[in-house]
Amino acid sequence: MTPTPRPHPRPTARLAARLVARLAGLAGLTAAAGALILAGAGTGGGAAWAAAATPTVTTISVAPTPGKAPNLTLSATVTGDTATPVDFYVTTTLFGNPQLVPLGPATPAKGVATLTWTPTWTGNETFTAAVANPATGKIVTKAAASYTVTAATPGMSTAQANTPKPLATFGRGMVGFLLAIVFAIWATLLATLWRVSRGVAKHATT
Amino acid sequence: MADVTQREQSGDGYGDGDGNGNGNGNGNGYSHGDGYGHGDGHGDGDGGLRALAMRPVLRPGRWWAPTVGVLALIVAWGVAAWVVQYHRGLGSAGYNDHAFWAIYIADVVTFIGVSYGGAVVSAILRLTGAEWRAPLTRIAEGTAVVTVLIGGAFIFPHLGRPERILELIYRPNLSSPIFWDFVAVSTYAFASMVFFYLPLIPDLADAADRVTAAGRPRLGRLYRLVSWRWRATPAQRRILSGSVGLVAIMIIPLAVSVHSVLSWAFALTSRPWWHESIWAPYFVVAALYSGIALVIVIVALFRKLYGLQALIGERHFVRLGFILAPFGAAYLYLTLADFLPGGYVGDHGVAAVFSSVLVGRYAIGFWLFVVGGCIAPLLVIAIPRLRHTRQIVAAAVLVDLALWLKRMIMVVAPANYGRISGLFGSYHFTWISVSVTLAGVAAIPLLLLLLFRVVPILSVAEIEELAHAEQQVHIPSPAVIPAPTPVGVNTRRQPSDLLGRPATFDIAPETP
């Protein structure tokens, strides 16, 4: 008795089965990698914070940079994790509600993060040093201090203003060219008047 | 009649036609064979045309002095207002921290713009050989000269310290569009004066004896002095014709440059709506549009004042209207092209300004401009039933008023917009600014009345030349000369056909 052959699976079904198997494999790999990361095998700082001490910004101080007025030196003292960069901010109300305008990051050295900043306006300002969770971007610790800025450099520095513009050379040439055209026009008009006066008077009888 | 015909064909260049007056009736009496005839007029075949041309100089009419007096009073009132403004400061003219540019800049743009129209219309018609131009060119060129001087003068009330304008000369800032405005406007003003003067030479030579005989010997001497012993010799005509052609060619790009530079005084400023690349051609088209409209208005005015109906007919106005219409349509198109990209992208400043212009505080003025300054004139030209002198002149008046209004909006709306606050300031007319502006308006007819008190209002030589050329074209060959016609019936083409409606030029005889 000849066994009844099993029906051959249709190509579409075969393809779907393979796809499901591969997706399952991928999911397994992902799950494994996630487990490793959660176990601290990854490189994320957030994960590191799970095992080590969470950073804390204890103080921020502002002082003029010696010999480089009007620059200011912003210093933040950090405890706990000192590998994560500290972000410095200044508070502004220029565009509505108070908001932190980033001034730049600095990595702590021996527990102190330092940033040199050139103020562009004077007045009483609030400076903030903060550390954000690299995984979420949320600020986890910060400290603020007020400081009266007494000297500032305009946003557009003199050096910038004095830097020749890209088309400056062309512009100078253009001015000369235009002045030459204007001169030629005036010369032509005056020459025309002279030609008419002389010519008409000269040919009065011819 | 026989005398006149003989002179016509003699081609003697400056035949002193003493005339017998018979030429008046059939209008063929003003051909001397060369175009720049030297007929002395009284009663000769072209005496009517010459009398007509010299009428403002010799016998302007009783209305002349009172009219000039009233216009001079208005101008004097405006000057007095400016003196008051000089003492009180620009705030008395409505200027403030927001409206730092306002009515006087709109006046500068308007008056220099209308000047452009007069010069370019005359130049283009000369270069294209449009024969019907002849009775219009002198008025158009005179309008160009007068309006550019008035427009240039409007910069003085705009300045709080007008004496500092001299710094444009001895301390120029070559990177400033204001300096180039000064250069372009002064160059164009000089060129338009040359363009006015050169075609005047034959007419001044022709009129020298006439004004002397009329009891104005000084004016006669002046005419002889500035006409350089003109005798209409072939060499003289060749020199003059070439020179006029050259200046006609030069004046067109010059006029384009003037209004382009004027627009760049705005467009090189980083303010919403001013800082647009389209503004140079936009200004040029606006200048042509309003300038042609002013030529129509001035021609109509002087036609009425000096009785030039015999020379300037409805056909002239219709043709000027045909020139006016495309510029009106082009300006409407450029307005759309100006608003669409900025409005679509919607940058804050541009959107705020456009909003104020299209649906906000300036909307009434703007839509008045669109309807009164563009659509209505186009309809007048487009509909044959409306295409008549009165309607065309009315449309031209509308165009000039609407274009001034548009320029006011273009100046004031962006100037008033506060870029930091996003709010608009305010600008209000004051009696001072209105008086100064009205003085400028009154100065146009005033200066033209004074100008045509010393120079002929018509380019007689040009009219004769064109009429003669036309006659020569239509002289039939002997083989096809028709049979003699009865006395009193002239079947030859009338010169007046070139110049509007049939004319006889038998104007009231001139009294020396």
Side-chain angles (χ1 to χ4, degrees):
Chain A
M1 184 176 172
T2 307
T4 309
R6 290 172 62 187
H8 201 74
R10 286 186 303 178
T12 310
R14 208 167 53 217
L15 204 65
R18 280 185 191 170
L19 193 62
V20 168
R22 287 195 178 182
L23 282 175
L26 263 178
L29 277 176
T30 309
L36 284 172
I37 290 169
L38 287 175
T43 56
W49 287 356
T54 305
T56 303
V57 179
T58 55
T59 59
I60 175 172
S61 62
V62 184
T65 307
K68 290 191 177 179
N71 288 1
L72 298 176
T73 302
L74 311 178
S75 305
T77 309
V78 187
T79 58
D81 169 45
T82 57
T84 308
V86 175
D87 293 311
F88 289 91
Y89 302 87
V90 64
T91 304
T92 179
T93 55
L94 190 61
F95 302 105
N97 296 325
Q99 48 191 309
L100 299 178
V101 176
L103 301 180
T107 304
K110 297 180 182 176
V112 177
T114 305
L115 178 78
T116 302
W117 176 68
T118 306
T120 54
W121 62 89
T122 57
N124 193 28
E125 303 293 347
T126 301
F127 294 93
T128 301
V131 176
N133 186 334
T136 62
K138 287 185 178 175
I139 290 175
V140 293
T141 175
K142 66 179 180 181
S146 289
Y147 181 81
T148 302
V149 180
T150 54
T153 299
M156 177 67 79
S157 72
T158 314
Q160 273 180 302
N162 289 337
T163 304
K165 293 180 179 176
L167 294 175
T169 309
F170 176 79
R172 276 193 291 275
M174 179 60 79
V175 166
F177 177 67
L178 289 175
L179 286 175
I181 289 178
V182 171
F183 177 78
I185 292 170
W186 277 87
T188 307
L189 289 170
L190 290 170
T192 303
L193 280 177
W194 182 82
R195 178 172 174 262
V196 168
S197 62
R198 290 293 301 267
V200 168
K202 184 180 174 185
H203 295 96
T205 54
T206 56
Chain B
M1 179 69 190
D3 289 345
V4 172
T5 307
Q6 192 173 2
R7 268 191 288 115
E8 280 170 9
Q9 296 174 351
S10 66
D12 58 3
Y14 49 97
D16 293 327
D18 51 3
N20 55 15
N22 292 341
N24 284 343
N26 56 24
N28 61 3
Y30 58 73
S31 270
H32 285 245
D34 58 32
Y36 293 112
H38 191 68
D40 58 3
H42 304 282
D44 65 355
D46 50 3
L49 177 61
R50 286 189 160 74
L52 203 54
M54 293 303 293
R55 189 168 165 184
V57 177
L58 300 177
R59 203 164 50 91
R62 286 182 201 162
W63 55 266
W64 191 87
T67 308
V68 166
V70 169
L71 292 170
L73 273 179
I74 297 173
V75 173
W77 176 259
V79 173
W82 175 47
V83 172
V84 173
Q85 175 197 305
Y86 184 73
H87 285 286
R88 292 184 185 172
L90 276 170
S92 59
Y95 281 50
N96 54 56
D97 287 350
H98 288 283
F100 58 94
W101 279 15
I103 185 169
Y104 298 137
I105 288 294
D107 292 338
V108 168
V109 176
T110 301
F111 281 83
I112 292 179
V114 292
S115 163
Y116 179 18
V120 170
V121 162
S122 179
I124 290 176
L125 294 182
R126 278 182 191 282
L127 293 172
T128 56
E131 293 162 344
W132 56 274
R133 73 176 192 269
L136 309 178
T137 49
R138 180 70 42 78
I139 301 176
E141 290 155 10
T143 306
V145 171
V146 161
T147 47
V148 74
L149 294 178
I150 299 170
F154 262 110
I155 206 67
F156 290 99
H158 175 71
L159 300 174
R161 295 284 302 275
E163 73 277 7
R164 288 192 173 180
I165 203 165
L166 288 174
E167 294 186 10
L168 278 172
I169 297 169
Y170 66 81
R171 283 179 57 191
N173 176 4
L174 298 182
S175 63
S176 164
I178 302 296
F179 168 75
W180 292 102
D181 270 341
F182 166 71
V183 169
V185 171
S186 55
T187 305
Y188 167 74
F190 180 55
S192 63
M193 286 178 202
V194 174
F195 192 49
F196 177 77
Y197 166 64
L198 290 181
L200 199 58
I201 291 175
D203 292 330
L204 294 181
D206 187 53
D209 293 338
R210 183 179 289 253
V211 294
T212 303
R216 298 182 71 183
R218 285 184 186 173
L219 191 59
R221 280 199 295 276
L222 179 67
Y223 279 9
R224 282 190 200 91
L225 182 71
V226 297
S227 60
W228 308 104
R229 294 168 57 209
W230 175 266
R231 293 290 182 272
T233 64
Q236 285 182 328
R237 283 188 281 125
R238 192 175 59 250
I239 290 169
L240 187 63
S241 173
S243 301
V244 171
L246 176 67
V247 179
I249 291 171
M250 287 176 70
I251 203 122
I252 297 172
L254 265 179
V256 171
S257 75
V258 168
H259 243 60
S260 298
V261 177
L262 213 50
S263 79
W264 290 330
F266 294 89
L268 301 187
T269 307
S270 179
R271 290 197 72 78
W273 198 22
W274 283 358
H275 184 53
E276 301 286 347
S277 57
I278 202 173
W279 270 39
Y282 199 25
F283 267 49
V284 171
V285 171
L288 274 169
Y289 186 39
S290 58
I292 295 165
L294 187 71
V295 168
I296 291 175
V297 174
I298 296 292
V299 165
L301 181 67
F302 279 82
R303 170 182 181 257
K304 181 82 174 171
L305 289 177
Y306 290 122
L308 304 177
Q309 289 88 343
L311 283 170
I312 303 172
E314 184 163 291
R315 198 167 67 152
H316 292 91
F317 290 99
V318 170
R319 289 186 175 187
L320 285 172
F322 284 151
I323 298 176
L324 182 75
F327 288 108
Y331 194 67
L332 203 55
Y333 162 71
L334 287 175
T335 302
L336 174 71
D338 186 28
F339 277 92
L340 184 65
Y344 189 84
V345 171
D347 282 342
H348 289 299
V350 176
V353 172
F354 283 3
S355 173
S356 72
V357 171
L358 296 175
V359 293
R361 62 164 68 179
Y362 304 109
I364 293 176
F366 177 77
W367 292 108
L368 269 176
F369 147 75
V370 170
V371 175
C374 291
I375 294 174
L378 283 174
L379 289 177
V380 167
I381 308 298
I383 300 172
R385 188 181 293 180
L386 298 176
R387 206 183 296 145
H388 297 294
T389 303
R390 278 189 186 178
Q391 287 86 336
I392 292 171
V393 173
V397 172
L398 270 181
V399 168
D400 280 326
L401 290 175
L403 266 283
W404 179 82
L405 194 60
K406 173 78 188 316
R407 281 151 173 156
M408 270 302 294
I409 294 170
M410 291 170 86
V411 171
V412 171
N416 262 335
Y417 178 71
R419 301 196 71 172
I420 293 177
S421 65
L423 302 173
F424 282 92
S426 61
Y427 173 76
H428 298 288
F429 294 119
T430 66
W431 72 268
I432 287 180
S433 61
V434 172
S435 300
V436 173
T437 301
L438 286 179
V441 175
I444 296 177
L446 174 66
L447 292 181
L448 284 172
L449 284 170
L450 294 174
L451 181 68
F452 293 128
R453 189 77 174 90
V454 291
V455 300
I457 193 171
L458 294 171
S459 182
V460 175
E462 199 174 351
I463 294 172
E464 287 181 338
E465 183 181 24
L466 291 172
H468 176 70
E470 180 71 5
Q471 280 183 341
Q472 282 194 326
V473 166
H474 287 89
I475 289 176
S477 65
V480 293
I481 289 177
T485 51
V487 175
V489 178
N490 189 348
T491 56
R492 195 169 59 176
R493 178 167 179 160
Q494 300 291 317
S496 51
D497 290 349
L498 299 173
L499 310 168
R501 68 190 208 193
T504 57
F505 306 130
D506 48 354
I507 312 302
E510 178 187 348
T511 51

